[in-house]
Amino acid sequence: MISIAIDGPSGAGKSTLAKRLAKQLGYIYVDTGAMYRAIGLYALQHGIDVKNETAVQATLADICIGLKHEDDGQHVYLNKKDVSDAIREEKVGMAASAVSAHPTVRAYLLEAQRGMAMAADVLMDGRDIGTVVLPDATVKIFLTASSKARAQRRYKELCEKGQTIDFDTVLADIEQRDYNDTHRAAAPLKQAEDAILVDTSDLNFEESFEKLLDLIKTHAK
Ligand code: DC
């Protein structure tokens, strides 16, 4: 089986690029952030303190996450309900960041993620794919961009969706999330020693796509 691991901070363009690369290469796209977001959403919906590991752990038995590939792209299901849009809200992103710090949550998702990589050729994106989930991945990429460049992209995306939010809030959220993701004790965000670093601060989508496709084609032989 071929497995491509793409890790990096929030807003580096991982999921948009990963989706398109997986399609082009014919691999299954696994959005691991969506899995953490689904757990974060469930906790928010049930009034559970996302920082309380025991409380979050107790919900795992009641949570069933489905990633389905449909004609219009990947859909995320939480207990059979389509939550693809709901999990993209800023507050759910923060909740996902909090629940992802709990080792029990990570262990629960790790098993599911490894199972997916054993069943098909996958392109998996997240924070710890190259370091923890798939240490023997065929190709590892660490995709990053400056926090300002990432906040600008995110701000544009939110404005296009009609959400009213100011740029400084978006930048502060990104920086807070970076801090949480890199400073947690369990599987913090870090570049695997054998990952290829790609900085997209000065690249547009097409340029980033071509660069990654080329890297994967060269290394996944
Ligand atoms: O990539 P994203 O923004 O959808 O991820 C949401 C949160 O989930 C992010 O703050 C960190 C966490 N996450 C993680 O800890 N490990 C992963 N493999 C993927 C995401």
Side-chain angles (χ1 to χ4, degrees):
M1 290 293 170
I2 292 177
S3 54
I4 314 293
I6 302 187
D7 291 300
S10 304
K14 286 188 309 290
S15 55
T16 327
L17 285 162
K19 236 178 264 174
R20 180 103 176 256
L21 287 163
K23 194 167 177 198
Q24 174 87 19
L25 295 159
Y27 302 161
I28 299 285
Y29 169 52
V30 181
D31 177 357
T32 61
M35 301 166 99
Y36 287 97
R37 284 171 181 268
I39 296 175
L41 176 64
Y42 185 92
L44 290 180
Q45 286 172 338
H46 291 79
I48 286 147
D49 175 6
V50 290
K51 295 216 164 99
N52 180 335
E53 179 165 14
T54 313
V56 176
Q57 185 187 358
T59 66
L60 297 177
D62 302 325
I63 294 179
C64 176
I65 302 166
L67 298 182
K68 289 199 187 137
H69 302 272
E70 297 173 15
D71 289 345
D72 60 342
Q74 182 181 261
H75 284 244
V76 183
Y77 290 85
L78 172 60
N79 294 339
K80 303 214 169 108
K81 190 163 178 270
D82 190 339
V83 294
S84 313
D85 291 332
I87 58 164
R88 297 294 155 202
E89 286 184 29
E90 287 298 292
K91 63 174 192 274
V92 181
M94 291 309 264
S97 180
V99 300
S100 72
H102 304 318
T104 44
V105 172
R106 303 202 71 85
Y108 169 80
L109 290 181
L110 177 70
E111 208 179 311
Q113 291 159 359
R114 284 198 178 146
M116 290 173 182
M118 279 190 332
D121 290 337
V122 293
L123 194 153
M124 196 175 279
D125 77 354
R127 304 293 189 285
D128 61 337
I129 310 306
T131 49
V132 177
V133 183
L134 305 175
D136 297 323
T138 322
V139 184
K140 297 180 188 178
I141 291 165
F142 194 82
L143 191 71
T144 192
S146 67
S147 55
K148 204 161 165 211
R150 289 182 284 129
Q152 270 157 353
R153 291 177 198 157
R154 182 79 188 126
Y155 178 69
K156 189 165 163 259
E157 223 174 82
L158 292 169
C159 290
E160 280 166 7
K161 280 189 193 156
Q163 292 188 27
T164 35
I165 187 157
D166 70 293
F167 177 76
D168 289 343
T169 308
V170 177
L171 181 61
D173 269 11
I174 290 225
E175 287 178 344
Q176 180 65 51
R177 205 111 69 82
D178 285 355
Y179 184 88
N180 293 351
D181 295 347
T182 49
H183 285 78
R184 65 172 179 237
L189 167 66
K190 69 168 193 253
Q191 184 181 344
E193 272 177 22
D194 49 352
I196 305 159
L197 177 69
V198 177
D199 187 323
T200 66
S201 303
D202 299 319
L203 301 181
N204 65 26
F205 180 81
E206 281 309 321
E207 291 164 339
S208 309
F209 175 78
E210 290 304 329
K211 181 160 191 160
L212 293 181
L213 186 62
D214 196 43
L215 276 176
I216 295 171
K217 282 189 172 162
T218 311
H219 291 86
K221 282 184 184 154

